[in-house]
Amino acid sequence: MKLRTLIFWPHLVAGVTAGTVILLMSVTGVLLTYERQFIAWSDSDYRSTLPTPGTGRLSVEALLQTIREQHPDLAPSAVTLGSAADAPVMVAVPQRTLYFDAYSGRLLGEGSQGVRRFMSETRAWHRWIAVEGDGRPVARFITGWSNFIFLFIVVSGFYLWFPRKWTWNHVRSVLLFSRTTTSKARDFNWHNVIGVWSAIPLFIVVLTALPISFPWANALVYRAVGEEPPAARGREGAAGGREGRAGGAG
């Protein structure tokens, strides 16, 4: 059996078996990349009222003092300041995010719960396929190994892309989009062209995701830079805690 054939069949089987999970993680990963932008867009109606010239913003201490006086039931845990002149001050309180006028300390409103809830659910699908409770370790096992399989697909696909003959006509057919006479030839051309141009960024993205999925990969990163890996702890519990804090901040 030729080496190309030996690599092709595992490549195909890996794509068929793990393709659904890989697609899910890819789509949710892209959405999570723009989480800050989605939240900023959903809360863009909250703006500080520009005062008369010469009036400055309240200091963080003065703002917190105003909040304590006007809203004694609130317990701020974080304050975020924007750079724009009319940017509001974002204050995190338990289970909510509130916006205040940067100059007067007036409460403008509460951050959109719908978008934050959507992003929280997207994160759960990305990490655990939306599985809750005791099933999360199994779900994390599935997403972790799907990520590893994705890395194999990228590496093996790059090998399979190499033309058998290194002439421009052969290279062009798998490097550039071209007109084809059949749908099968078109799909083959599209698969190769999109695959080769995205191979390097995909390789970096998937490789850097391995330390998130596997403790041994995380330990390798520490050892590669000459540091001792941190002591192991309950990954699911820690992840759940981070998830809870992320949801609470929304």
Side-chain angles (χ1 to χ4, degrees), residues 41-112:
W41 168 79
S42 68
D43 297 337
S44 58
D45 290 339
Y46 297 127
R47 311 307 300 175
S48 295
T49 302
L50 296 177
T52 57
T55 304
R57 297 185 182 190
L58 293 175
S59 65
V60 174
E61 293 77 10
L63 175 67
L64 292 176
Q65 180 62 32
T66 302
I67 294 175
R68 282 193 290 267
E69 293 174 354
Q70 298 182 2
H71 308 279
D73 57 317
L74 299 180
S77 58
V79 176
T80 303
L81 306 176
S83 58
D86 63 345
V89 178
M90 186 168 61
V91 178
V93 299
Q95 306 303 320
R96 293 186 296 166
T97 297
L98 303 177
Y99 288 89
F100 292 84
D101 189 291
Y103 301 94
S104 66
R106 177 174 58 89
L107 176 62
L108 300 176
E110 182 177 346
S112 170

Side-chain angles (χ1 to χ4, degrees), residues 81-213:
L81 306 176
S83 58
D86 63 345
V89 178
M90 186 168 61
V91 178
V93 299
Q95 306 303 320
R96 293 186 296 166
T97 297
L98 303 177
Y99 288 89
F100 292 84
D101 189 291
Y103 301 94
S104 66
R106 177 174 58 89
L107 176 62
L108 300 176
E110 182 177 346
S112 170
Q113 289 298 310
V115 172
R116 286 170 170 79
R117 191 177 304 111
F118 171 76
M119 298 310 302
S120 179
E121 292 174 356
T122 300
R123 190 176 297 105
W125 276 100
H126 184 76
R127 292 179 177 176
W128 308 295
I129 326 177
V131 174
E132 299 291 341
D134 296 337
R136 278 190 172 179
V138 176
R140 194 172 185 89
F141 175 87
I142 294 173
T143 57
W145 280 103
S146 294
N147 185 69
F148 189 87
I149 292 173
F150 194 10
L151 181 63
F152 168 76
I153 292 173
V154 172
V155 175
S156 59
F158 193 74
Y159 170 80
L160 293 172
W161 169 85
F162 278 94
R164 289 182 172 85
K165 294 182 179 179
W166 278 88
T167 63
W168 173 239
N169 286 335
H170 287 83
V171 172
R172 182 178 58 185
S173 65
V174 293
L175 187 65
L176 303 174
F177 291 113
S178 59
R179 293 182 179 272
T180 57
T181 56
T182 65
S183 59
K184 184 177 181 180
R186 178 203 62 201
D187 294 344
F188 181 81
N189 174 248
W190 287 12
H191 179 83
N192 279 281
V193 174
I194 295 173
V196 69
W197 286 107
S198 58
I200 294 178
L202 277 177
F203 176 79
I204 296 173
V205 169
V206 179
L207 184 65
T208 53
L210 287 182
I212 303 174
S213 300

Side-chain angles (χ1 to χ4, degrees), residues 218-232:
N218 185 54
L220 282 177
V221 173
Y222 278 92
R223 293 193 174 96
V225 296
E227 296 184 10
E228 188 67 22

